[in-house]
């Protein structure tokens, strides 16, 4: 199967999961995760109609996305990997959505750049639902205070919450927890679900799923989610 065939198959599976959850087609956005793949590999998927992409590294993205964005209007690029504050200016300049806000320092740096560049980048807060020490994200019990700080002290409108459940656990309870935290805090969107579990995430209310290998094929282990 080509990447475009695989992309079509993922879209069909998303539609089937929307049907199962009695949700409208289009209620779940597909973020095609293109990390580690070059512009040549991504172009056919853009040509087939995909417009929303996810990348986990600012520097890698700077090497391919300015050109791809210039070629095709309407691309929406999501940062789904950890962000350092010294990269905040570059991230705000290139990305349309930053899904990995998880520390006050980075929230402040991003808020300042949004203001300085006058670029209304959309923000998600990453929650470490499994409290994994090696993984990014705030602790679930910090969500209310952190979201309030982003909104009230920094003027950021928090559009969504994002999580990456522990690899070896049943993801359902993690997705349920993220949905509960979003509802409690008046946060609208839920970024959850990857190649191995996106149908489960849709059943728990995902509004976007981040799917890489099911579309683009296998990657280096070094590029696994954190
Ligand atoms: C790589 C990555 C994905 C995609 O993972 P697949 O299993 O290849 O679909 C999703 N989310 C994040 C944060 C990632 O880093």
């Amino acid at each position: 199967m080509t990447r475009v065939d695989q992309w079509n198959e993922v879209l069909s599976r998303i539609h089937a999961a929307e049907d199962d959850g009695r949700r409208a087609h289009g209620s779940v956005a597909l973020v095609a995760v293109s990390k580690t793949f070059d512009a040549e590999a991504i172009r056919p998927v853009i040509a087939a109609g995909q417009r929303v992409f996810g990348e986990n590294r600012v520097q890698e993205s700077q090497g391919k996305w300015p050109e791809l964005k210039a070629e095709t209007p309407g691309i929406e690029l999501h940062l789904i990997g950890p962000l350092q504050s010294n990269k905040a200016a570059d991230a705000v300049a290139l990305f349309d959505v930053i899904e990995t806000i998880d520390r006050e320092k980075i929230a402040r740096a991003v808020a300042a750049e949004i203001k300085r560049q006058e670029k209304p980048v959309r923000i998600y807060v990453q929650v470490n639902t499994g409290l994994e020490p090696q993984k990014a994200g705030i602790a679930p019990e910090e969500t209310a205070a952190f979201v309030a700080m982003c909104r009230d002290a920094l003027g950021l409108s928090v559009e969504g919450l994002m999580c990456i459940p522990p690899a070896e656990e049943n993801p359902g309870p993690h997705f349920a927890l993220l949905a509960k935290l979003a509802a409690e805090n008046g946060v609208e969107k839920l970024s959850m679900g990857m190649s191995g579990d996106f149908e489960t995430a849709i059943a728990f209310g995902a509004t976007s799923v981040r799917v890489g290998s099911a579309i683009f094929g296998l990657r280096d282990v070094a590029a696994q989610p954190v």
Side-chain angles (χ1 to χ4, degrees):
M1 283 215 293
T2 67
R3 292 196 172 109
V4 169
D5 293 334
Q6 291 176 162
W7 170 74
N8 267 306
E9 190 166 289
V10 167
L11 282 181
S12 310
R13 285 171 60 192
I14 289 172
H15 285 165
E18 286 169 335
D19 289 340
D20 288 346
R22 296 172 201 266
R23 299 177 57 183
H25 282 185
S27 60
V28 181
L30 170 60
V31 179
V33 177
S34 48
K35 63 190 184 192
T36 77
F37 293 96
D38 62 14
E40 283 320 298
I42 299 168
R43 265 192 199 99
V45 180
I46 295 174
Q50 178 67 25
R51 291 292 177 272
V52 185
F53 289 86
E55 289 281 346
N56 68 335
R57 295 210 167 127
V58 175
Q59 203 169 344
E60 179 190 336
S61 306
Q62 286 173 318
K64 52 188 168 179
W65 281 105
E67 191 185 349
L68 290 170
K69 279 186 150 188
E71 287 169 12
T72 307
I75 296 280
E76 180 181 298
L77 196 58
H78 291 227
L79 180 63
I80 60 169
L83 178 60
Q84 308 298 324
S85 44
N86 63 1
K87 289 268 168 59
D90 290 341
V92 167
L94 181 59
F95 288 88
D96 304 289
V97 181
I98 297 177
E99 297 200 14
T100 50
I101 299 296
D102 69 346
R103 298 188 304 287
E104 180 168 347
K105 188 176 178 200
I106 199 69
R108 270 187 197 286
V110 166
E113 283 302 328
I114 286 174
K115 219 169 262 166
R116 195 177 68 80
Q117 299 183 29
E118 296 178 19
K119 181 161 180 254
V121 172
R122 290 141 55 199
I123 294 301
Y124 284 53
V125 167
Q126 183 173 355
V127 183
N128 187 356
T129 57
L131 290 170
E132 294 173 281
Q134 83 284 9
K135 203 165 264 176
I138 57 164
E141 68 268 21
E142 291 168 7
T143 305
F146 189 79
V147 168
M149 186 278 297
C150 287
R151 285 174 173 157
D152 304 340
L154 304 180
L156 290 170
S157 65
V158 177
E159 178 174 299
L161 300 182
M162 177 272 216
C163 76
I164 311 166
E168 313 74 25
E169 281 181 37
N170 173 8
H174 296 274
F175 297 149
L177 173 58
L178 198 71
K180 176 172 168 278
L181 292 169
E184 285 171 0
N185 291 287
V187 174
E188 194 190 344
K189 302 267 177 86
L190 288 169
S191 170
M192 54 191 199
M194 312 195 295
S195 291
D197 57 16
F198 67 84
E199 282 122 331
T200 306
I202 292 169
F204 282 96
T207 58
S208 62
V209 293
R210 308 177 308 268
V211 179
S213 47
I215 298 169
F216 289 101
L218 291 178
R219 296 177 299 268
D220 235 331
V221 266
Q224 288 316 301
V226 283

